Amino acid sequence: MGGAALALAATLAAPVATAQPARARASARVDLDARLREAQASPALEQGLLKTGRRVAAVCAHCHGEGGSSVKPDIPNLAGQNPAYLMEQLRQFADGRRRNEFMEGMIRAMDSDEKVGMVLFYASQPVAPRPPAPAALVAAGREYYGKVCFRCHGTDGYGNTLIPRIAGQQTGYLRTTLQRYRAGSGVRVEPLMSASTRLMSDAEIDAVAAYVASMP
């Protein structure tokens, strides 16, 4: 190929290299934590990403409920969750540290701004109140929680950037999660949680789950 032909080929190829769809650009490797912090520091960007997150959450609502308040006892609430913690869970589903075929596929298909927007949207949503549990069961759970669980999750159950909010969580999901930590089963192994639950009885798990679900 002569010099003129090479120049023409380069000219024709240039638009293909530079005019990539916005979604493709957003799907490039992005520091999600940095993007989240950027959005939290910029009201205009945050509002734009919240709109994106609301659109994504419309799909998630089939399992996690409108606004992230699940109506299924074995599926967790996402509403009110700590954004940095929720972002870490997205990463764990994407790289296989947490396993759920549907969740893994859906999260891998999302671009970076969809992930950040979804996290911001759910973090901003109120948790729907749970139906009341028997008072004696809640009281027993409160006593146990006040001796053990508050050390990490806080007296209000809101956790922090590394530890999830559990206040108002679904009872069935809480119960199953505690049982799995106690048994050391599944891919989610956390030494501190395993140590804290190893000696819990089924009755204590039921009580703690009832109390935590009742927390506002």
Side-chain angles (χ1 to χ4, degrees), residues 180-197:
R180 286 175 176 171
Y181 277 127
R182 181 181 64 181
S185 61
V187 297
R188 293 183 71 191
V189 177
E190 207 289 317
L192 187 57
M193 281 298 299
S194 296
S196 298
T197 56

Side-chain angles (χ1 to χ4, degrees), residues 161-193:
T161 55
L162 299 177
I163 296 175
R165 171 188 172 139
I166 55 175
Q169 190 54 269
Q170 287 287 345
T171 308
Y173 177 76
L174 288 165
R175 184 184 298 114
T176 299
T177 300
L178 289 171
Q179 289 170 344
R180 286 175 176 171
Y181 277 127
R182 181 181 64 181
S185 61
V187 297
R188 293 183 71 191
V189 177
E190 207 289 317
L192 187 57
M193 281 298 299

Side-chain angles (χ1 to χ4, degrees), residues 30-40 45 49 113 116:
V30 172
D31 185 331
L32 294 175
D33 290 331
R35 185 62 167 165
L36 177 60
R37 291 192 297 270
E38 181 185 4
Q40 290 171 324
L45 176 60
L49 291 179
D113 277 1
V116 175

Side-chain angles (χ1 to χ4, degrees), residues 61-163:
H62 293 292
C63 294
H64 290 283
E66 189 68 28
S69 285
S70 172
V71 295
K72 301 178 181 180
D74 58 338
I75 294 180
N77 296 331
L78 301 180
Q81 189 54 266
N82 301 326
Y85 176 82
L86 191 53
M87 185 66 76
E88 175 60 19
Q89 303 318 298
L90 293 185
R91 273 193 292 265
Q92 291 191 17
F93 275 119
D95 66 22
R97 282 176 289 163
R98 288 190 68 174
R99 302 308 308 269
N100 179 290
E101 186 175 356
F102 178 78
M103 288 288 294
E104 290 170 46
M106 187 173 68
I107 290 168
R108 287 169 184 162
M110 293 166 61
D111 68 38
S112 57
D113 277 1
E114 286 173 335
K115 292 174 183 176
V116 175
M118 185 185 72
V119 163
L120 289 170
F121 173 74
Y122 280 130
S124 71
Q125 299 303 294
V127 180
R130 305 254 55 84
L137 188 64
V138 171
R142 182 185 297 111
E143 182 179 0
Y144 189 98
Y145 186 97
K147 293 177 180 177
V148 179
C149 313
F150 82 97
R151 293 188 180 93
C152 294
H153 291 282
T155 56
D156 56 6
Y158 282 19
N160 56 44
T161 55
L162 299 177
I163 296 175

